[in-house]
Amino acid sequence: GDSVTQMEGPVTLSEEAFLTINCTYTATGYPSLFWYVQYPGEGLQLLLKATKADDKGSNKGFEATYRKETTSFHLEKGSVQVSDSAVYFCAFSNNDYKLSFGAGTTVTVRA
Amino acid sequence: DTEVTQTPKHLVMGMTNKKSLKCEQHMGHRAMYWYKQKAKKPPELMFVYSYEKLSINESVPSRFSPECPNSSLLNLHLHALQPEDSALYLCASGRGNGITNEKLFFGSGTQLSVL
């Protein structure tokens, strides 16, 4: 069935380091792809999204490009801050109301 | 007001209790969702209401009973729960135009413990 697979964590980085979290998808058709972030003790927030091949989503210095040829939607940020410490979820939707999440990657940024 | 408010934030209940989780939004959204999230796991969809009608039920046990009394409110009634139902219950809302065309707003959740 349709699914997303994202890299296992946890990931620990120093401030100003480069972050990449891999996400690949398996789907029939052309799903919409998302990255959501969950800060400690909070609900999820949409970080960015892309709805078709070659679209690039970007927000708060994070970027991800919808790559149909590699079925990927990797999240990147060039210089992370302590405040970026959170759990990051790759997600997809092949249906107007159903959003399915990957396993989540815990990122810890140290000062 | 761009918030989804969930109450209570924490709930402890016995297996014979009946309780309700509440969710409220005043953004004019017409789609509302319940998700269940176990510790260190991704959220799992339970129910979707679209224009106050139940449109998706992900084969959730009947001890969970959703209710959407109006376009701003979403309840989840709990009865005879099991300890394995302990989790964070998240509510979300969207404009109702479909996930691919809109952003979902999540509440902070209710942390439920079933003893």
Side-chain angles (χ1 to χ4, degrees):
Chain A
D2 296 354
S3 65
V4 288
T5 302
Q6 62 181 104
M7 64 183 277
E8 296 286 331
V11 174
T12 303
L13 303 163
S14 299
E15 260 191 324
E16 300 183 5
F18 183 86
L19 171 68
T20 183
I21 304 175
N22 290 343
C23 172
T24 57
Y25 68 89
T26 302
T28 54
Y30 303 100
S32 292
L33 301 172
F34 308 81
W35 278 100
Y36 275 80
V37 58
Q38 187 172 29
Y39 298 103
E42 298 185 13
L44 282 75
Q45 301 176 26
L46 178 64
L47 186 57
L48 51 85
K49 73 173 186 179
T51 57
K52 61 183 188 295
D54 299 326
D55 267 1
K56 177 189 277 190
S58 61
N59 186 25
K60 299 182 182 180
F62 290 89
E63 292 184 341
T65 301
Y66 190 140
R67 302 264 187 220
K68 180 183 162 188
E69 62 276 12
T70 53
T71 62
S72 65
F73 193 55
H74 303 323
L75 182 69
E76 296 181 337
K77 185 173 184 181
S79 177
V80 293
Q81 304 300 313
V82 172
S83 57
D84 293 323
S85 298
V87 182
Y88 293 82
F89 292 97
C90 186
F92 77 96
S93 177
N94 236 346
N95 169 289
D96 271 350
Y97 293 104
K98 186 168 181 178
L99 186 65
S100 299
F101 294 90
T105 302
T106 300
V107 173
T108 302
V109 180
R110 293 183 174 166
Chain B
D1 186 357
T2 57
E3 279 191 351
V4 175
T5 304
Q6 290 188 243
T7 55
K9 291 195 182 304
H10 301 276
L11 178 63
V12 179
M13 61 185 290
M15 289 188 285
T16 58
N17 292 158
K18 285 185 181 181
K19 296 287 185 184
S20 297
L21 309 185
K22 298 186 181 301
C23 176
E24 189 168 3
Q25 56 86 14
H26 296 289
M27 294 178 278
H29 289 175
R30 303 308 297 272
M32 296 187 78
Y33 306 72
W34 280 116
Y35 281 85
K36 173 183 178 180
Q37 185 178 24
K38 300 283 274 184
K40 301 191 184 301
K41 297 290 186 184
E44 297 176 353
L45 182 65
M46 300 175 73
F47 302 103
V48 181
Y49 273 83
S50 174
Y51 292 82
E52 294 101 72
K53 293 192 188 317
L54 184 63
S55 60
I56 296 179
N57 176 342
E58 290 288 285
S59 303
V60 179
S62 59
R63 57 186 184 270
F64 295 91
S65 176
E67 179 196 19
C68 189
N70 61 54
S71 60
S72 299
L73 295 174
L74 183 67
N75 299 321
L76 185 63
H77 302 299
L78 314 173
H79 174 54
L81 293 194
Q82 304 297 310
E84 59 264 28
D85 297 320
S86 298
L88 180 68
Y89 288 84
L90 293 165
C91 175
S93 71
R95 284 182 296 174
N97 296 327
I99 289 171
T100 56
N101 296 317
E102 66 183 27
K103 173 181 175 179
L104 286 191
F105 290 77
F106 281 82
S108 298
T110 295
Q111 187 65 55
L112 174 67
S113 297
V114 181
L115 304 180

